[in-house]
């Protein structure tokens, strides 16, 4: 029932900027966390940035100072502003939303992924 839809990916030159957006639909509950993961060919999936329902943000060391996450919990949307993009940022970016089932059990929802390519 819950669906996450990403938008905003594309091709950009090094040093450029992109903004990714994600909207969750069909949810009758709040998400403990919403954020973004990415996976490049041959690499494992890694957390890029996330924000808790309380507004606490977490960033991967590789993007600190360049990326900023925004979340509107009331609308169940999350965005990622990416500045000073580097070729190594090239990856498929996935929106993620985590629901707390209990104090010891969570469930993750994922978007379909959007390609970000940083190249000259």
């Amino acid at each position: 029932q819950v669906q996450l839809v990403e938008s905003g990916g594309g091709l950009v030159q090094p040093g450029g900027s992109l903004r990714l957006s994600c909207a969750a639909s069909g949810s009758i509950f709040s998400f403990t966390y919403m954020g973004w993961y990415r996976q490049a060919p041959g690499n494992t999936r890694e957390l890029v940035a996330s924000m808790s329902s309380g507004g606490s943000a977490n960033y991967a060391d590789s993007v600190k100072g360049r990326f900023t996450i925004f979340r509107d919990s009331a609308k169940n949307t999350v965005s990622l502003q990416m500045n000073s993009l580097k070729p190594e940022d090239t990856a498929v970016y996935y929106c993620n939303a985590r629901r707390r089932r209990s104090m010891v059990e969570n469930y993750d929802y994922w978007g379909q992924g959007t390609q970000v390519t940083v190249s000259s």
Side-chain angles (χ1 to χ4, degrees), residues 2-4 24-34 51-54 71 73 76 96-100 107 109:
V2 174
Q3 292 185 327
L4 305 181
S25 63
S27 177
I28 59 174
F29 45 80
S30 62
F31 297 108
T32 307
Y33 294 92
M34 294 189 75
M51 183 171 286
S52 71
S53 58
R71 177 180 177 180
S73 294
N76 278 338
N96 167 262
R98 175 168 292 179
R99 176 173 70 89
R100 177 185 292 172
Y107 189 88
Y109 298 91

Side-chain angles (χ1 to χ4, degrees), residues 18-56:
L18 282 175
R19 177 174 290 176
L20 305 182
S21 297
C22 174
S25 63
S27 177
I28 59 174
F29 45 80
S30 62
F31 297 108
T32 307
Y33 294 92
M34 294 189 75
W36 296 89
Y37 288 73
R38 68 185 181 187
Q39 186 168 19
N43 289 18
T44 58
R45 183 185 63 184
E46 64 174 353
L47 174 69
V48 179
S50 66
M51 183 171 286
S52 71
S53 58
S56 297

Side-chain angles (χ1 to χ4, degrees), residues 6 20 35-49 59-64 66-67 80 82-96 110 113-118:
E6 305 107 332
L20 305 182
W36 296 89
Y37 288 73
R38 68 185 181 187
Q39 186 168 19
N43 289 18
T44 58
R45 183 185 63 184
E46 64 174 353
L47 174 69
V48 179
Y59 297 93
D61 288 341
S62 60
V63 306
K64 287 181 179 178
R66 299 188 298 120
F67 292 9
L80 185 69
M82 305 185 294
N83 297 327
S84 302
L85 283 162
K86 305 175 181 179
E88 48 264 47
D89 294 318
T90 296
V92 177
Y93 285 70
Y94 297 92
C95 181
N96 167 262
W110 297 94
T114 185
Q115 178 69 48
V116 172
T117 302
V118 184

